[in-house]
Amino acid sequence: MSDLGRTQRRIQLPNLTSVRRLSLWLRTHPLVGDTIMVAFLILLDVLSWGMFNVPPENYYSVGALLLCPLIIRRRQPVFAASIIAFGALLRIFTHPDDLSLPRVAEFGIFIALYTLVLLGNRRVAVAYLLFSLAQSALLISRAYYENPDNETAIEWLLINVFWSVALPAFCWLLGEFVAARRAYHAEVEQRLRMLELERDQQTKIAVAQERTRIARELHDVVAHAVSVIIVQADGASFVIKEQPAVAERSLRTIASTGRQALNELRRLLGVLRAEDENPEMVPQPNAGQLTELVDKVRSVGLPIELELTGNLDELPSGVGLGIYRIVQEALTNILKHAGPGAMATVRVDRREDSVTVQVLDDGFGTPGDLVTGGNGLIGMRERAAVYGGTLDAGPRPGGGWQVNALLPLSVRPTGPNPVR
């Protein structure tokens, strides 16, 4: 199946009428549609046989040549047009007494011309148009110059001029218009496929970049814990005989630090899949530095109300860092997208077993991460998911934007796809 077919299968088409569904089905089965059209034109042509003074074998054979090739007009347009042209020539010699009366079957000439223009056979279409005009001129000349005393000659002359000139011109223009529209739709579909692929790639790249940053931060957390354990273990080994009480305190510190590092590893190993061979050893902030962060953002002109509840300085290093980064990214989005005159509120509430983070604004803009495919919101959700938490972001009922995060403090390893 082609990429377009797969794309169409993924597209949902709700609330379509039966006629619209039939139209879409016929578009994917053009041979069926052309057969129905030919059958309808043949029926009309047969019903109009009584208007002509032509033997039935001549009438029906010419009608078949003019209409039946239209069934294969999409697959073999030049061959179909050639057969129809032969039928048009044959009409001149088989309808000597009715040359001035157009037949329904002659619509096949115009449909063939339309098809040649639509499918881009310009040279063949020009030759076919000239043939059609020459054939029409021959019909008119034989019909009227051989019967100059016909009282309705002028009226039929006007009808035949319209039939022979206006209809081919209309079919040509219609073919050009439909061809341009199909080319435009094909270009749009191609761009949609490219945008879909680009969006998927951007999402994967954003997640990979965020996981790499988390891996660097993990280095700081774990390296600090391991360094403390090594120092305490070396100290305890020197004083274990002479000062057992000091050695006991060192061992307790080692146990506490080891448990904290183990908790960090359990939380992070659930989502980390990339490996950074040369992580950057950069000190990272924590939730206790939110006041400094808010002051920095205030200094650039964004009024912020900060509400901190509970002791945030004693949070696990990873959780504190996640809270800091979530608030930082949310405030950055407000600065970029909330618009002038916006105000923000930051609430961080530490409870016994969890920490809730809420960042609100009353601006009128829309965060560009949801529109442009940036990785800000993806990064915030990844950070919350690393520690078994959740994060929701969206518009507020009264206007503005809100970010709500919940990070548990109890040990809860995350799965491979914890982000919702």
Side-chain angles (χ1 to χ4, degrees):
M1 182 178 294
S2 65
D3 294 338
L4 177 58
R6 286 192 291 268
T7 302
Q8 289 177 341
R9 290 189 63 181
R10 289 195 296 267
I11 298 176
Q12 299 297 325
L13 299 173
N15 301 326
L16 288 181
T17 63
S18 299
V19 175
R20 181 57 176 163
R21 292 184 184 276
L22 177 61
S23 176
L24 292 175
W25 185 84
L26 290 177
R27 183 178 179 182
T28 58
H29 301 79
L31 186 62
V32 177
D34 288 338
T35 303
I36 295 174
M37 176 189 66
V38 169
F40 178 73
L41 291 176
I42 288 177
L43 177 62
L44 293 180
D45 192 60
V46 169
L47 294 177
S48 61
W49 172 63
M51 301 173 58
F52 294 85
N53 185 21
V54 181
E57 60 273 12
N58 292 345
Y59 186 86
Y60 295 139
S61 59
V62 171
L65 291 174
L66 290 173
L67 293 176
C68 290
L70 294 177
I71 298 177
I72 59 172
R73 66 187 180 94
R74 300 177 192 269
R75 296 183 178 181
Q76 299 180 5
V78 178
F79 177 73
S82 301
I83 299 299
I84 293 174
F86 176 74
L89 284 176
L90 193 61
R91 182 192 189 279
I92 299 176
F93 301 100
T94 57
H95 296 56
D97 299 330
D98 300 296
L99 294 179
S100 62
L101 184 61
R103 284 188 57 174
V104 173
E106 289 182 291
F107 275 107
I109 301 173
F110 308 129
I111 297 175
L113 176 62
Y114 161 80
T115 304
L116 291 173
V117 176
L118 176 64
L119 298 182
N121 298 314
R122 298 295 179 83
R123 293 183 179 179
V124 179
V126 170
Y128 191 80
L129 177 62
L130 294 178
F131 162 79
S132 176
L133 294 177
Q135 183 257 358
S136 299
L138 182 59
L139 288 178
I140 294 174
S141 63
R142 288 192 58 181
Y144 299 106
Y145 289 101
E146 294 178 4
N147 300 281
D149 298 331
N150 190 349
E151 297 180 355
T152 60
I154 300 300
E155 179 181 350
W156 284 108
L157 179 62
L158 295 177
I159 295 176
N160 276 272
V161 168
F162 172 80
W163 180 268
S164 305
V165 178
L167 283 181
F170 172 77
C171 291
W172 185 287
L173 294 177
L174 181 62
E176 294 283 2
F177 173 78
V178 175
R181 185 176 180 182
R182 289 187 179 180
Y184 172 77
H185 286 172
E187 180 68 19
V188 170
E189 291 172 353
Q190 178 67 20
R191 292 190 180 186
L192 287 176
R193 287 194 293 270
M194 295 299 296
L195 287 175
E196 182 179 1
L197 178 61
E198 182 180 357
R199 182 193 62 186
D200 294 340
Q201 293 297 325
Q202 287 180 347
T203 301
K204 293 178 181 179
I205 293 173
V207 172
Q209 290 176 345
E210 185 60 27
R211 288 176 176 176
T212 301
R213 286 194 292 269
I214 294 173
R216 293 190 181 116
E217 295 164 2
L218 173 63
H219 173 273
D220 295 328
V221 174
V222 177
H224 171 74
V226 173
S227 299
V228 172
I229 290 174
I230 292 174
V231 171
Q232 293 293 329
D234 289 341
S237 64
F238 285 107
V239 299
I240 190 170
K241 295 181 179 179
E242 300 177 358
Q243 299 179 352
V246 176
E248 182 180 358
R249 288 197 299 271
S250 297
L251 292 175
R252 289 177 180 173
T253 302
I254 291 173
S256 175
T257 306
R259 290 190 186 96
Q260 182 178 354
L262 182 61
N263 291 343
E264 300 294 338
L265 286 174
R266 286 176 176 174
R267 291 187 178 109
L268 289 168
L269 290 178
V271 294
L272 291 178
R273 293 293 182 269
E275 182 179 356
D276 192 347
E277 297 179 355
N278 299 303
E280 300 176 2
M281 299 178 62
V282 180
Q284 300 293 342
N286 53 47
Q289 297 175 270
L290 287 176
T291 302
E292 299 177 6
L293 172 64
V294 169
D295 290 338
K296 291 179 182 179
V297 179
R298 283 174 179 161
S299 65
V300 299
L302 177 65
I304 303 175
E305 179 182 357
L306 178 63
E307 299 178 13
L308 304 178
T309 306
N311 190 352
L312 302 179
D313 293 326
E314 296 180 1
L315 288 173
S317 301
V319 175
L321 174 60
I323 294 172
Y324 184 93
R325 295 301 189 197
I326 289 173
V327 174
Q328 184 183 46
E329 184 63 32
L331 291 178
T332 302
N333 283 340
I334 294 174
L335 284 173
K336 292 191 296 184
H337 307 293
M343 298 183 62
T345 301
V346 178
R347 299 189 181 99
V348 182
D349 182 14
R350 175 179 179 173
R351 302 173 185 175
E352 293 183 0
D353 58 349
S354 65
V355 179
T356 59
V357 180
Q358 186 179 53
V359 182
L360 311 172
D361 73 84
D362 58 359
F364 56 84
T366 300
D369 296 304
L370 292 180
V371 177
T372 62
N375 59 12
L377 291 178
I378 296 175
M380 287 192 288
R381 289 193 173 97
E382 283 284 343
R383 289 185 181 279
V386 163
Y387 301 101
T390 59
L391 185 141
D392 295 315
R396 299 175 62 189
W401 198 261
Q402 61 181 352
V403 175
N404 297 295
L406 174 64
L407 284 75
L409 297 179
S410 58
V411 178
R412 188 174 67 182
T414 58
N417 295 302
V419 182
R420 60 174 189 168

